[in-house]
Amino acid sequence: MIRKYRIGTPFETEAVVLSIKEETGEIPYLDRNETTGMLVCPLKKEDIVYGLGQNIRGINKRGFVYESNCSDDPLHTEGKRSLYGAHNFFVVDSDEKFGVFLDYPGKAVFDIGFTKTDLLTISTEDENYDLYLIDGASVTQIVKQFRELIGRSYVAPMWAFGYGQSRWSYNDEKEVREVVENFRNNKIGLDAVYLDIDYMERYKDFTVNRETFPDLAGLAKELKEKGVRLVPIIDAGVKIEEGYDVYEEGVAKDYFCKDEDGNNFTVGVWPGKVYLPDFLNKEAREWFGEKYSFLLEQGIEGFWNDMNEPALFYSEKNLDHVFARLDELRKKNLDIHSYFEMMDLVKGISNNEEDYRSFYHNVNGKKIRHDKIHNLYGYNMTRAAGEAFERLMPDKRILMFSRSSYIGMHRYSGIWTGDNQSWWSHLLLNLKMLPSLNMCGFLFIGADIGGFGDNTSQDLLLRWLSLGVFTPLMRNHSALGTRRQEPYCFDDTDAFRRLIGIRYALLPYIYSEYMKAVLRNEMMFLPLAFVYTEDKRVKEIEDQLLVGDSIMIAPVYTQNATGRYVYLPEEMKLIRMHSAGEWEEEILPAGDHYISVELDEIVFFIRKGKLLPLAKEADCVDHMESQLTYLDFADKKAEYELYRDDGFSKDYDKETNWQKIVVEK
C-alpha cells in the first residue's frame, strides 16, 4: 500500500511514474512538528533503518546524520554526511514495517538516532515536498512497491558488463592502443577503455583533440573489431570560448544558468571559466542531449557523465571577493584567527554553498534558485543524454553512468560511486553501498576498483577485484599522479588474469540476476536479513551479501588477512574458484566457519536448491561462447531461471529470453 501526502507546493521532480491519490489528515508513523516543520518518528531499540542509497557508514543507517545534498567530495570518511547522490528513500524494519520516500530536491537532513537515540527526524529547508509512505509485510515487499512507484531501471548493453580499464588520463591514441595490446598480450579480459578529460580539445565537451586523437572514429572501429569499446567522459560545464560552437549556440539560445541580474553565471572547472547548461529547462536539455550525436556518429557506444553535482572549482563572483580579502590579509601579522580565516577562505572557494544560492534556472518560464532544486542537476544532465539516445538510436542500448544522481535518474543510467580512495575501508564501503543503491533503483553500479585516489597495492587491487567480479559495472579507474593500476603493472599478472577471467565465467549469472532485478523491480544485492528473516544473527551482518537468487559472497577486506570468518544461515556449498575453468566444492553446515581465501582465488557460496550457470573464459563479451555449464547445490533438485537476450536491443520482455534449468539427482 502506498500513500501520498503533499506538503506546501512541491517542485515536480519527475522521480515518480505512478499516479498516487493525495491523502489528508495525520501522517502515519511520522509526527509533523507544526512549528519547525520537522518530521519525527520514534525508534525502538531493536529497529533497523535501511536505505538512503549512496552514503557512508553501514547498511543499517542508525546512529548518524545523513544529508541529501549532492556533493563533490572525494574524501569519503566516516564524518561526511553527503556524497554525490541524493536518495531520500528508507525503510524502518520494526514491528510495523514501512518505507518513506521524501520527494524533495533541496537539502534534506535525516537524523537517524544521532541527536536522540530513540528518534528519527527529517528536516528540510522549506516545507514543499511530496511524502510517500509504503506499508508491507517485509522489507523486500516494501522495496518492490517503491521500485514500481519510480519506474523500471536502466538496462546497459551486455558488453558493458565486461571488464573496463580507465585512468585519468590516457593522453593519446598510442597509449590507448598500448593498453589494449597489453591486455591482449597478457590474455586478460577487456571490454572497454575509458577516456577521461584529456581526449578533449582543451577540456571542451563534444570535441576531440585532433593532435592526440587524430582519428577517433577509426580508433573506435579498430578497437571494436578486437571486442573493445571506447567510453569517453562528458562534463557539465561548457567552456567560455569564442568560436566554440556549443558555447556560442548555448549563449544564442539562452540555455545557460543565470545570476540574479539575468547574466550567464560564470564558474570555473577543468577548462577554466564555463557556463552551466540549464538542465532543468526542457529545451536546453534537448539541445545538450543532441550534442552526444557528435561522438555517437564516430562509433562511440557509451559515456560517463561527471562533475554534475554540479562541481564548482570557483565562481567568478566569489573568487573576486576571496582575492580582495587575501590582499588585505597579506598586509597583516597573521595570528591564529586571521590565519584560519585565510585558510577557510581558500578552502571555501570550491563548491561554495553561497555560490549554489547565487544562480537560477528557467523552469517552464519560472525563475527558480539553484539551491532549491540542487539535487536534480546531475539527474537532468543524464536524463538529457538518455532521452537523446531514445531519439537518436531508439533500438540500441547505449552505456551511460553518472556521478551525481537523484531518484528517477535510475531510469536513464547507472552510477559509479565517485572518487573513492585506495583504502581498505573503501573496499568495505563499496560492499555496504550495494544494497542501499539497489533499494533506490540503481542496479548498474560499481566503484572505482582499486581506488581512484592514492596509491593502490597489489593485494588491495586483487581483493577489490574479488568483489568487483560480482558488480554489474566492473571498472578499474585511477587518478593522474597515482600508481599505475592496470593489472599487467603488478608482479602477479597471472593472478589478475585468472580473477578477471572468472568474471567472464560468471557473466551469464550476473547478467541474468541483473535483468531479473530490472524486470521484476527487485534487488540484486541483498543483506542476509532481507531473506533469512527469522534468523536474528543476520541482522548485524553487513559484510556478507546475497547476490541474486543463488549465491552469497563474503569478501576479504582486511590487508594481510589470509581468510575470514563467515556465518552461514543455512547449509551451503562453498565454491573456491582458481580460474574460470578450475574450482573446488565443499558442503558446509549452517553456522560459523573460518574460510581461508588466497589472493588469487574467489570464494563464494551456493544456496541449497540453487544453480549457477558458468561460461567459458573469454577475452571480451563479444567473443563469449553460448555453451554453459552449471554448478549446483542440489539435494534432490535444483532450479534456475536463465535470462538471455542479444545484449544490445531493447526487447527485454520476450518470453523466449527466459529458460528454466533443472537438475535432478
Side-chain angles (χ1 to χ4, degrees):
M1 178 181 177
I2 303 177
R3 286 172 280 194
K4 176 183 178 180
Y5 296 84
R6 173 155 286 186
I7 308 298
T9 308
F11 182 87
E12 179 51 68
T13 67
E14 299 183 69
V16 167
V17 299
L18 295 183
S19 177
I20 305 293
K21 183 181 177 181
E22 294 173 29
E23 302 200 17
T24 57
E26 291 187 2
I27 302 172
Y29 309 117
L30 301 171
D31 294 322
R32 182 165 168 261
N33 186 305
E34 294 293 339
T35 303
T36 64
M38 186 179 292
L39 295 165
V40 180
C41 173
L43 294 174
K44 294 191 284 292
K45 183 178 180 181
E46 63 274 14
D47 290 351
I48 297 176
V49 180
Y50 298 107
L52 297 184
Q54 183 187 21
N55 233 307
I56 50 84
R57 299 203 174 210
I59 294 173
N60 182 355
K61 291 294 188 282
R62 284 195 73 161
F64 197 58
V65 181
Y66 306 89
E67 295 179 358
S68 281
N69 186 37
C70 297
S71 303
D72 171 26
D73 186 344
L75 296 178
H76 310 163
T77 50
E78 284 194 29
K80 298 298 171 66
R81 296 185 172 190
S82 57
L83 295 178
Y84 306 97
H87 307 138
N88 304 343
F89 172 65
F90 63 86
V91 176
V92 177
D93 186 1
S94 185
D95 297 334
E96 289 186 276
K97 305 178 195 318
F98 62 93
V100 176
F101 173 43
L102 178 77
D103 193 3
Y104 175 74
K107 183 178 177 180
V109 179
F110 301 85
D111 184 333
I112 307 179
F114 178 75
T115 302
K116 293 188 176 181
T117 58
D118 60 350
L119 286 183
L120 184 160
T121 63
I122 306 170
S123 54
T124 55
E125 295 196 328
D126 58 61
E127 291 186 83
N128 298 292
Y129 55 81
D130 283 328
L131 186 72
Y132 294 84
L133 290 175
I134 307 173
D135 292 296
S138 66
V139 177
T140 52
Q141 188 184 92
I142 291 168
V143 170
K144 186 178 180 71
Q145 291 182 78
F146 175 64
R147 294 274 302 285
E148 291 168 350
L149 177 70
I150 61 175
R152 179 179 285 185
S153 298
Y154 162 81
V155 178
M158 192 168 181
W159 63 262
F161 289 77
Y163 177 83
Q165 186 62 53
S166 183
R167 183 172 172 83
W168 172 31
S169 265
Y170 295 136
N171 290 303
D172 54 39
E173 64 176 35
K174 179 176 179 290
E175 188 172 4
V176 171
R177 285 192 178 96
E178 288 174 352
V179 169
V180 175
E181 287 171 7
N182 276 313
F183 271 88
R184 292 293 183 251
N185 291 340
N186 284 285
K187 294 182 171 51
I188 304 172
L190 179 70
D191 267 273
V193 173
Y194 292 82
L195 300 180
D196 212 310
I197 56 176
D198 286 332
Y199 81 91
M200 302 178 191
E201 178 189 303
R202 299 191 302 280
Y203 309 133
K204 294 184 296 184
D205 279 341
F206 311 115
T207 67
V208 176
N209 186 332
R210 296 301 179 187
E211 293 183 3
T212 54
F213 289 88
D215 182 11
L216 185 69
L219 180 64
K221 182 175 183 293
E222 170 193 329
L223 296 184
K224 186 175 177 179
E225 290 172 353
K226 299 177 181 179
V228 178
R229 270 74 169 183
L230 287 175
V231 183
I233 194 172
I234 302 293
D235 284 334
V238 171
K239 186 177 184 182
I240 300 171
E241 180 179 289
E242 297 300 324
Y244 171 33
D245 62 339
V246 181
Y247 160 74
E248 291 187 339
E249 283 180 24
V251 170
K253 296 180 178 180
D254 215 19
Y255 286 158
F256 295 119
C257 295
K258 307 296 183 184
D259 65 15
E260 177 69 37
D261 300 321
N263 302 310
N264 290 325
F265 189 66
T266 304
V267 299
V269 284
W270 300 115
K273 292 181 181 179
V274 304
Y275 290 155
L276 296 173
D278 186 356
F279 295 119
L280 278 296
N281 178 335
K282 183 176 185 293
E283 293 179 358
R285 205 162 55 236
E286 290 177 356
W287 164 76
F288 192 86
E290 292 293 325
K291 294 302 175 184
Y292 286 83
S293 63
F294 168 77
L295 291 162
L296 290 171
E297 289 166 0
Q298 298 182 67
I300 298 301
E301 300 177 50
F303 303 88
W304 46 306
N305 283 348
D306 197 10
M307 303 293 284
N308 52 356
E309 291 71 35
L312 311 178
F313 289 175
Y314 58 85
S315 73
E316 189 174 55
K317 171 187 170 184
N318 187 43
L319 197 61
D320 290 342
H321 163 73
V322 170
F323 282 151
R325 181 58 181 151
L326 289 176
D327 280 342
E328 295 175 7
L329 290 172
R330 186 168 57 181
K331 302 167 188 175
K332 290 188 174 184
N333 176 15
L334 297 180
D335 61 13
I336 185 171
H337 301 292
S338 52
Y339 169 76
F340 281 114
E341 180 190 353
M342 178 189 72
M343 294 297 290
D344 289 342
L345 276 170
V346 174
K347 290 178 181 177
I349 291 174
S350 296
N351 305 316
N352 185 279
E353 290 294 328
E354 186 57 39
D355 285 340
Y356 290 127
R357 290 188 284 269
S358 299
F359 67 94
Y360 295 80
H361 297 272
N362 172 15
V363 183
N364 300 322
K366 185 178 180 181
K367 180 179 174 182
I368 297 182
R369 203 173 74 191
H370 173 78
D371 63 304
K372 302 293 184 182
I373 50 175
H374 169 73
N375 293 328
L376 299 181
Y377 193 79
Y379 161 24
N380 279 277
M381 177 190 179
T382 300
R383 176 183 176 184
E387 291 176 340
F389 298 156
E390 287 293 327
R391 297 189 298 270
L392 298 167
M393 293 188 168
D395 300 320
K396 183 177 181 179
R397 304 181 213 171
I398 302 297
L399 171 62
M400 170 58 73
F401 56 91
S402 171
R403 191 170 74 177
S404 181
S405 60
Y406 183 85
I407 288 172
M409 197 195 78
H410 71 286
R411 299 191 296 270
Y412 302 98
S413 82
I415 65 169
W416 95 101
T417 55
D419 296 343
N420 60 3
Q421 303 290 317
S422 296
W423 300 343
W424 290 88
S425 61
H426 278 187
L427 167 54
L428 179 58
L429 181 60
N430 178 187
L431 179 74
K432 292 182 178 183
M433 276 188 191
L434 296 172
S436 302
L437 285 167
N438 276 194
M439 290 175 69
C440 296
F442 293 96
L443 297 177
F444 190 78
I445 51 176
D448 286 344
I449 292 172
F452 174 73
D454 221 326
N455 296 306
T456 197
S457 59
Q458 178 168 275
D459 57 342
L460 174 58
L461 185 52
L462 286 167
R463 292 301 194 199
W464 213 317
L465 282 169
S466 295
L467 170 60
V469 297
F470 297 101
T471 60
L473 173 61
M474 185 185 186
R475 182 179 76 148
N476 175 335
H477 183 45
S478 55
L480 183 70
T482 63
R483 179 183 188 178
R484 298 293 294 231
Q485 59 188 51
E486 293 83 357
Y488 51 78
C489 293
F490 295 88
D491 295 338
D492 196 352
T493 301
D494 186 58
F496 288 98
R497 180 191 65 75
R498 286 184 281 114
L499 293 191
I500 293 171
I502 292 171
R503 164 58 168 221
Y504 288 89
L506 290 169
L507 254 182
Y509 180 77
I510 300 298
Y511 187 70
S512 286
E513 296 306 309
Y514 172 85
M515 291 304 298
K516 289 175 192 175
V518 168
L519 299 175
R520 297 171 180 172
N521 290 311
E522 295 174 347
M523 297 170 63
M524 180 176 172
F525 296 96
L526 297 98
L528 272 60
F530 283 23
V531 174
Y532 299 98
T533 54
E534 301 303 315
D535 189 334
K536 292 183 179 180
R537 277 199 59 184
V538 299
K539 290 181 179 295
E540 296 182 9
I541 294 177
E542 298 199 350
D543 59 354
Q544 300 173 211
L545 294 179
L546 298 169
V547 181
D549 187 53
S550 296
I551 66 174
M552 184 187 78
I553 62 172
V556 175
Y557 51 86
T558 306
Q559 188 160 32
N560 299 318
T562 57
R564 56 161 293 174
Y565 282 96
V566 175
Y567 174 68
L568 303 185
E570 63 175 333
E571 184 181 50
M572 292 185 180
K573 178 182 281 189
L574 180 150
I575 305 296
R576 188 180 300 277
M577 294 197 79
H578 305 290
S579 69
E582 181 187 358
W583 60 83
E584 301 171 42
E585 305 177 16
E586 180 184 1
I587 295 174
L588 297 177
D592 296 294
H593 302 270
Y594 181 81
I595 307 296
S596 64
V597 185
E598 298 294 335
L599 286 169
D600 61 352
E601 63 185 7
I602 292 177
V603 172
F604 57 89
F605 304 84
I606 299 180
R607 298 170 63 196
K608 200 164 190 176
K610 306 297 182 179
L611 282 177
L612 176 68
L614 289 179
K616 292 183 179 179
E617 185 174 355
D619 61 3
C620 64
V621 168
D622 285 352
H623 298 162
M624 290 181 65
E625 298 179 10
S626 60
Q627 184 179 359
L628 304 178
T629 57
Y630 296 90
L631 292 177
D632 69 81
F633 182 22
D635 183 7
K636 294 182 179 179
K637 184 168 77 170
E639 298 182 346
Y640 186 71
E641 281 186 287
L642 179 68
Y643 181 93
R644 292 179 123 173
D645 58 23
D646 59 23
F648 61 85
S649 66
K650 297 178 180 178
D651 194 1
Y652 313 127
D653 297 305
K654 290 193 302 186
E655 288 187 17
T656 53
N657 291 343
W658 297 94
Q659 180 183 359
K660 188 173 183 179
I661 311 297
V662 179
V663 170
E664 293 184 303
K665 294 186 176 180

